[in-house]
Amino acid sequence: MATVTYDKATRIYPGSDKPAVDQLDISIEDGEFLVLVGPSGCGKSTSLRMLAGLEDVDGGAIRIGDRDVTHLPPKDRDIAMVFQNYALYPHMTVADNMGFALKIAGVNKAEIRQKVEDAARILDLTEYLGRKPKALSGGQRQRVAMGRAIVREPQVFLMDEPLSNLDAKLRVQTRTQIAGLQRRLGITTVYVTHDQVEAMTMGDRVAVLKDGLLQQVDSPRNMYDRPANLFVAGFIGSPAMNLVEVPITDGGVKFGNSVVPVSREALTSAADKGDRTVTVGVRPEHFDLVDGAGSAGSLSKDAPAGVAVTVNVVEELGADGYVYGTAEVGGEQKDIVVRVDGRNVPAKGSVLHVVPRPGELHVFSTSSGERLSD
Ligand SMILES: Nc1ncnc2c1ncn2[C@@H]1O[C@H](COP(=O)(O)OP(=O)(O)OP(=O)(O)O)[C@@H](O)[C@H]1O
Ligand SMILES: [Mg+2]
């Protein structure tokens, strides 16, 4: 077992002037499950391959435990990688696939058999050990690929989108199995996905990358509650956080016909940048519905508080419903998503009046995108 450290690790592909991974700094704890997530092309696989030794490191360093592995060949790093396409040998049985790396390493037959059988038991593969990969389901193949990594008892597991070939239901099941297995084995794991739900449900911590740059590394809870910038705010959470540019007023921000209080520090730092607006973020579950007739809390005595959202589509999920609507905020038509009670959803075409719940508002600088609120 071991820690993993990316120390300002940079990769610039030949012929490119822009780093694919730009001074990546992450310290991963012993036994931790760290998920790298971000949109296509943000540098997730490159980061993982740098740790595996499959990609050169052009700047900075990578350490596993106290060992500087920056320029070590893959075989000397004591890691095992699980790829998206599993890369099983089609002509070998499951048992031979799982034991292959040990055989190459010269481990004796009895010991290989023992390790393969142990791993097969953990992975529920015992009855398939004599089969060829083509006679297995996608999920079983995926588990063989895991088994091949487990038998090597590496210091670090690396996984690059290992579930993306599975259908939606199996992906959810296997996600839980992998996370559970990792916790039992306690092996430090770096896991790559572009799926933020996978990241949030599996990781002890999640690292969000964009354009080769680390945006935030945090626990799923903190990532959701305190996104560090507009990018993370919009990327983490489904449906996504509502992000709207609004004018700054005395003591807060003007959200339709309401003033929503915002900390003085947030407003001061916006003003220091010369901004006259901030971008506020409200999660769909953090809007309160207000009475359309009353004007309590409204800036205008003829109009209800908050903003009026015209309901375009209602998504009913049983317990919850999501209203997809449009509203005029800050002089612009904006798409707004509001979570409502699943048993009491509004009709299409109707109008809801909503205000952000106090204390649940995220405030970002419109110019730099950085988080201004606590
Ligand atoms: N061998 C290569 N040569 C040159 N550029 C590359 C190479 N591999 C990747 N890149 C570029 O580096 C950037 C990061 O690629 P990378 O494969 O790490 O992205 P990713 O986050 O894994 O994306 P995806 O979710 O699509 O797998 C991209 O802009 C990509 O085009
Ligand atoms: Mg990739």
Side-chain angles (χ1 to χ4, degrees):
M1 295 213 283
T3 58
V4 170
T5 312
Y6 285 93
D7 184 357
K8 300 211 171 10
T10 297
R11 173 62 175 147
I12 305 173
Y13 283 109
S16 172
D17 45 10
K18 203 179 142 296
V21 173
D22 197 351
Q23 305 204 33
L24 182 62
D25 258 329
I26 310 180
S27 296
I28 305 167
E29 286 169 35
D30 187 18
E32 185 172 10
F33 195 121
L34 182 99
V35 181
L36 290 175
V37 68
S40 183
C42 70
K44 304 179 295 292
S45 295
T46 304
S47 305
L48 199 70
R49 292 168 57 82
M50 288 159 77
L51 174 55
L54 300 171
E55 209 63 74
D56 287 342
V57 177
D58 301 299
I62 296 180
R63 289 186 291 277
I64 297 177
D66 299 331
R67 289 187 303 149
D68 186 335
V69 300
T70 315
H71 303 293
L72 281 188
K75 66 175 176 45
D76 297 334
R77 295 191 180 203
D78 204 2
I79 48 122
M81 188 146 168
V82 180
F83 296 92
Q84 175 177 353
N85 59 11
Y86 320 144
L88 301 178
Y89 300 109
H91 58 285
M92 287 186 198
T93 62
V94 167
D96 289 343
N97 263 288
M98 282 169 62
F100 188 66
L102 299 180
K103 188 173 162 193
I104 295 293
V107 177
N108 73 58
K109 272 195 180 147
E111 193 179 337
I112 294 179
R113 186 171 333 117
Q114 187 61 51
K115 289 194 166 154
V116 167
E117 283 174 3
D118 289 348
R121 207 168 311 116
I122 294 174
L123 292 162
D124 221 355
L125 285 172
T126 306
E127 60 185 297
Y128 306 107
L129 283 174
R131 286 202 199 171
K132 300 272 175 64
K134 68 171 187 302
L136 298 177
S137 72
Q140 290 160 346
R141 283 179 211 172
Q142 200 285 329
R143 298 213 297 278
V144 176
M146 284 291 296
R148 206 168 40 178
I150 290 173
V151 297
R152 296 175 51 194
E153 298 170 19
Q155 286 198 309
V156 187
F157 280 141
L158 308 185
M159 304 188 197
D160 194 348
E161 311 237 12
L163 306 184
S164 55
N165 285 341
L166 305 181
D167 68 43
K169 191 167 169 221
L170 194 55
R171 199 153 65 214
V172 172
Q173 272 174 18
T174 314
R175 168 168 111 192
T176 324
Q177 283 170 357
I178 292 185
L181 184 65
Q182 191 275 341
R183 251 127 241 174
R184 256 186 298 150
L185 297 173
I187 296 180
T188 312
T189 300
V190 186
Y191 184 103
V192 163
T193 179
H194 63 272
D195 179 344
Q196 58 93 16
V197 177
E198 210 168 285
M200 296 289 276
T201 51
M202 295 180 81
D204 292 320
R205 281 190 306 159
V206 176
V208 177
L209 288 174
K210 176 187 177 239
D211 299 333
L213 290 164
L214 180 64
Q215 305 292 304
Q216 184 170 1
V217 50
D218 228 325
S219 67
R221 181 81 264 159
N222 286 344
M223 195 69 88
Y224 192 81
D225 288 347
R226 298 192 71 255
N229 59 39
L230 279 174
F231 178 77
V232 177
F235 187 75
I236 297 288
S238 175
M241 187 187 281
N242 296 286
L243 295 166
V244 232
E245 187 178 341
V246 295
I248 298 172
T249 62
D250 261 354
V253 296
K254 191 162 177 294
F255 193 86
N257 288 319
S258 299
V259 171
V260 184
V262 165
S263 76
R264 179 176 300 278
E265 293 77 37
L267 296 178
T268 312
S269 31
D272 287 349
K273 292 183 208 306
D275 291 351
R276 296 166 65 182
T277 67
V278 288
T279 300
V280 297
V282 186
R283 297 233 177 251
E285 67 271 29
H286 291 149
F287 278 119
D288 284 329
L289 299 185
V290 292
D291 187 351
S295 60
S298 175
L299 292 173
S300 148
K301 67 179 181 354
D302 303 322
V307 297
V309 180
T310 305
V311 178
N312 299 328
V313 174
V314 181
E315 207 175 76
E316 293 192 55
L317 302 176
D320 295 322
Y322 286 100
V323 166
Y324 293 82
T326 36
E328 197 182 304
V329 205
E332 265 185 272
Q333 286 292 316
K334 288 287 297 183
D335 293 334
I336 299 279
V337 185
V338 183
R339 188 177 80 180
V340 294
D341 177 359
R343 291 260 163 76
N344 188 15
V345 300
K348 200 171 149 180
S350 62
V351 176
L352 301 178
H353 296 274
V354 301
V355 288
R357 196 166 305 154
E360 299 285 6
L361 197 72
H362 306 257
V363 184
F364 303 97
S365 159
T366 301
S367 51
S368 72
E370 78 188 87
R371 183 183 189 86
L372 299 176
S373 51
D374 306 333

